[in-house]
Amino acid sequence: MVVALLSSVTILAQEQVAKDTVKVPFEGMDQTWQNGADRRTSPVLTSKYFTGSVMIDGNYTHSFNNPNDNTVVGSTALARNNEMQISSANLGGDFTYGNARGRIMTQFGTRSTVIPRNDFSVYRGQYDMATMYRYLPEAYAGYHFNKWYGINVDAGMFMSYVGLNSYYQVENWEYQASFTSDNTPWFFNGLRVQIYPTKKLKVEAWIINGWQSYGKFNSMPGFGGNITWCPNEAVKLLTNDYYGTDAAGLPNRVRFHSDNSLLVRYFNRPTAKGVSRMAFSSTCDIGFEKGDGVGGFKGTDDNPAQYFLSGMVYNRIWFNKNHMAWTVGGGYMTNPGRYLVLYPTGDASPLPNPNNPTQTIGTHPFDTNTGTQFKGWDCSTNFDFMPNQSITFRVEFVHREANVPYFAGSGGVTSPTGYTTTALPADWKPDLVKMENRIIFAVLFRI
């Protein structure tokens, strides 16, 4: 019995030593200030095997264009004007047992429709993938290896963070994302390997179905990766890079995209009643498509240019012990060929053309033929009230412009009356305009 007792004590001591020697990446660094990151200092719903998460994102937004159908155009965050909306209600969390790990988050609300509608890979083959996946923004299983500061191997659906912003609005400085974030992926479906060789460095590799696509457009998967370096808690540098074939039925048209961000916290007095913290984030993206009729950056009459250039900068100032914050910023995007532009919604939103996979059809399709131009810029400012780590009350003003009619005008994009039940007259077309101003009221909850 004594031997057994000593053996048990030895095992417990060894387990405690193992726990004490586990290396945690970025440990001791305050990352709650970062754009696109969890601002909580500690989780609430935590236990030995499960750490839960509940998020609710509600908003009321008003467009000064006053579209008659209340439809928001060109946004993945918003869906309806002049109505209280639940953009996203998420429930789930992280499971761990030993080194086995899994994460599942459910998704309900307007984003479960707004996000899947931009993925045309679901039209390849049988089964309605847009329906079967729309309620799962994240779902993966994997294993953690105790090497260096950790290695994670995960398979499933996970966040992309291309464009810096988080999929979850509660983690972002601004509500309506700039063109850079709103036109780049929110999720990937495939395999991810995360390697933490040092406390301050993460190297990540992806083998995925494609660019925010549930399935594959062609036979080749997409490849990509992330490098994140935090030399100290006040600076974050990252790059996301992607290569794949994402044009339906055009396996020789390749896509490359590079997304790069710098975040700097240049003032920090967390207990100050006045200005308590200041930081900025800047992001620059560059990419192109080449082959099968398009020429990347060097276009010709036969192979028009098709590329993506964008950038955005935001500055945020916190007050009153970080319980209030003011953010201002904006960005610019040019995308010849419009291969990453969000389609206007409503009747102007097209379906794939079965006779030509590079084009779309519909009563009034948005032109995405090769050689078409799209340029847009935006600016916004908001004020946040954050009485604790779990709730944010936000009011935000957004101005957006494009070089072509793109945003919903007063006539809307559905029908003359704004209802889908109204027959379309022969001379009717969606009312698209080049500019919009809007104000957003949002309540963001997380535990």
Side-chain angles (χ1 to χ4, degrees):
M1 183 175 179
V2 173
V3 173
L5 180 61
L6 290 175
S7 178
S8 298
V9 171
T10 301
I11 291 173
L12 290 173
Q14 290 174 342
E15 290 179 349
Q16 185 62 45
V17 170
K19 291 180 180 179
D20 293 340
T21 57
V22 171
K23 296 180 178 180
V24 180
F26 310 115
E27 185 177 22
M29 295 186 182
D30 177 14
Q31 297 182 307
T32 61
W33 61 272
Q34 295 174 2
N35 195 1
D38 187 352
R39 74 175 185 86
R40 298 174 301 166
T41 56
S42 60
V44 178
L45 305 175
T46 183
S47 64
K48 181 178 180 180
Y49 300 112
F50 176 69
T51 298
S53 182
V54 178
M55 289 177 279
I56 301 174
D57 171 3
N59 73 74
Y60 181 95
T61 181
H62 171 73
S63 169
F64 290 90
N65 291 341
N66 286 306
N68 68 349
D69 60 352
N70 284 3
T71 301
V72 177
V73 164
S75 174
T76 60
L78 303 165
R80 306 276 294 181
N81 290 297
N82 303 321
E83 301 170 356
M84 185 64 200
Q85 294 291 298
I86 301 299
S87 284
S88 187
N90 305 98
L91 177 65
D94 296 280
F95 299 83
T96 58
Y97 181 77
N99 285 27
R101 51 189 251 129
R103 178 173 175 84
I104 184 169
M105 291 296 297
T106 60
Q107 169 182 263
F108 303 95
T110 60
R111 296 199 96 193
S112 64
T113 295
V114 171
I115 300 298
R117 75 178 179 86
N118 298 309
D119 175 18
F120 291 111
S121 72
V122 299
Y123 294 101
R124 184 187 187 195
Q126 298 292 315
Y127 310 114
D128 187 356
M129 288 190 292
T131 298
M132 71 176 72
Y133 283 136
R134 70 171 64 246
Y135 303 112
L136 291 172
E138 292 183 89
Y140 59 80
Y143 194 82
H144 174 82
F145 296 89
N146 296 321
K147 175 68 175 177
W148 298 312
Y149 278 80
I151 298 175
N152 300 321
V153 180
D154 302 313
M157 195 179 303
F158 48 89
M159 300 292 95
S160 76
Y161 287 91
V162 173
L164 182 64
N165 278 24
S166 168
Y167 186 90
Y168 305 114
Q169 299 292 9
V170 70
E171 297 184 341
N172 296 326
W173 291 356
E174 78 283 9
Y175 193 90
Q176 172 54 57
S178 184
F179 284 108
T180 299
S181 287
D182 227 8
N183 292 268
T184 49
W186 291 118
F187 67 84
F188 288 140
N189 195 3
L191 178 69
R192 175 183 68 183
V193 179
Q194 297 176 316
I195 303 172
Y196 299 88
T198 73
K199 178 181 177 180
K200 302 177 180 180
L201 178 65
K202 178 182 74 170
V203 179
E204 192 169 301
W206 318 318
I207 303 176
I208 53 183
N209 286 346
W211 180 271
Q212 189 169 297
S213 58
Y214 293 132
K216 290 195 296 184
F217 285 99
N218 300 291
S219 60
M220 189 187 87
F223 300 94
N226 163 274
I227 299 175
T228 299
W229 180 50
C230 297
N232 55 63
E233 72 171 34
V235 177
K236 182 178 183 178
L237 280 161
L238 64 93
T239 180
N240 297 282
D241 299 281
Y242 173 83
Y243 178 86
T245 58
D246 300 285
L250 299 174
N252 296 317
R253 181 177 296 183
V254 298
R255 174 180 299 173
F256 172 78
H257 196 97
S258 181
D259 164 74
N260 308 278
S261 293
L262 168 66
L263 295 85
V264 177
R265 188 190 65 197
Y266 55 91
F267 182 86
N268 188 42
R269 292 181 182 174
T271 60
K273 293 184 178 180
V275 175
S276 53
R277 191 158 61 190
M278 293 189 283
F280 75 83
S281 70
S282 62
T283 300
C284 178
D285 281 34
I286 182 171
F288 64 86
E289 285 195 336
K290 190 172 183 179
D292 275 338
V294 295
F297 288 99
K298 296 181 180 180
T300 64
D301 291 340
D302 296 329
N303 294 280
Q306 190 141 303
Y307 61 85
F308 184 93
L309 288 175
S310 73
M312 63 182 190
V313 177
Y314 288 90
N315 191 78
R316 186 168 173 91
I317 302 174
W318 289 258
F319 308 90
N320 189 25
K321 300 180 181 180
N322 299 331
H323 290 303
M324 299 177 180
W326 171 52
T327 302
V328 61
Y332 172 82
M333 178 186 80
T334 180
N335 186 207
R338 305 180 183 179
Y339 67 97
L340 292 184
V341 175
L342 299 174
Y343 292 140
T345 55
D347 188 65
S349 185
L351 294 175
N353 183 344
N355 299 317
N356 186 344
T358 68
Q359 296 180 346
T360 54
I361 58 176
T363 57
H364 298 87
F366 186 65
D367 187 0
T368 56
N369 288 310
T370 57
T372 53
Q373 298 293 315
F374 186 91
K375 297 179 181 179
W377 71 274
D378 62 273
C379 60
S380 66
T381 185
N382 67 40
F383 182 80
D384 286 353
F385 174 52
M386 302 165 287
N388 60 47
Q389 69 171 6
S390 292
I391 192 77
T392 299
F393 299 93
R394 177 171 294 171
V395 56
E396 179 169 298
F397 176 79
V398 183
H399 173 84
R400 298 195 293 173
E401 290 191 26
N403 69 318
V404 296
Y406 179 69
F407 307 102
S410 60
V413 296
T414 303
S415 74
T417 65
Y419 287 85
T420 58
T421 54
T422 300
L424 300 181
D427 61 347
W428 182 87
K429 63 180 181 179
D431 182 16
L432 298 180
V433 297
K434 293 184 178 181
M435 183 185 74
E436 75 165 10
N437 293 310
R438 72 169 57 252
I439 189 167
I440 303 167
F441 301 92
V443 179
L444 305 169
F445 172 81
R446 181 181 199 170
I447 58 171

